[in-house]
Amino acid sequence: MYRTILALSLTVLALVLAACGGSAVVEEEAAEELIVVNMNDIYFGESNDNVNNPPIWRVSPSSEVTIRMENMGALEHNWAVLKAGESIPIPFDETDQADKILFSAGNVAGGASNEVSFTAPEVGEYNVVCTVPGHAALMQGRLIVEG
């Protein structure tokens, strides 16, 4: 009888340990998100009035964001996020105002596409511009990071 109880107890203990195995430590992975940026010759997105009707891209804080840039125009473009609280200086000169840029996706030639990734910043609203000389006055948007 003693052996039966011991064997049964060990079996139950083994099952409990097996059920708990591997689940004691749970690692959270950063969410992955996709932003599609349509670039036209003088604007981002569907509206050619980015100043009054800017496209808005929404992501979660600390998420891994892939930016898929589709340049449907003939001109070269960029997609750059300014630091929180930074307004869009006009004219925008990337060399003189590099300290205002939080993230730059790099230039995409006319008719080309490219994908890059970055980690989303903290909750807030960020201005987005094309940093190609002369483009920031018309090519603007907003990145909204919300939790």
Side-chain angles (χ1 to χ4, degrees):
M1 173 95 173
Y2 174 74
R3 286 185 176 184
T4 303
I5 293 174
L6 181 60
L8 185 57
S9 298
L10 290 175
T11 302
V12 169
L13 181 60
L15 289 172
V16 168
L17 290 175
C20 293
S23 65
V25 176
V26 176
E27 293 183 25
E28 289 188 32
E29 292 184 25
E32 293 183 21
E33 299 186 44
L34 174 68
I35 290 177
V36 177
V37 178
N38 293 321
M39 301 166 160
N40 296 284
D41 276 338
I42 59 167
Y43 59 95
F44 290 124
E46 304 302 317
S47 169
N48 65 357
D49 184 15
N50 286 175
V51 175
N52 295 311
N53 188 23
I56 296 173
W57 299 277
R58 296 179 189 277
V59 297
S60 302
S62 301
S63 62
E64 287 301 312
V65 180
T66 298
I67 303 156
R68 180 179 301 147
M69 298 172 288
E70 301 283 342
N71 190 342
M72 296 175 279
L75 304 174
E76 180 178 58
H77 295 298
N78 184 8
W79 190 85
V81 179
L82 301 183
K83 293 177 181 175
E86 290 289 347
S87 59
I88 301 170
I90 304 297
F92 187 88
D93 182 337
E94 187 174 10
T95 304
D96 292 340
Q97 295 156 334
D99 61 325
K100 296 181 181 299
I101 299 173
L102 178 67
F103 173 79
S104 177
N107 289 6
V108 179
S113 61
N114 192 27
E115 284 190 8
V116 296
S117 296
F118 78 108
T119 302
E122 62 187 38
V123 171
E125 187 169 326
Y126 301 81
N127 286 315
V128 175
V129 296
C130 177
T131 61
V132 172
H135 291 201
L138 299 174
M139 295 187 75
Q140 303 175 10
R142 305 285 180 275
L143 177 68
I144 297 178
V145 182
E146 52 195 4

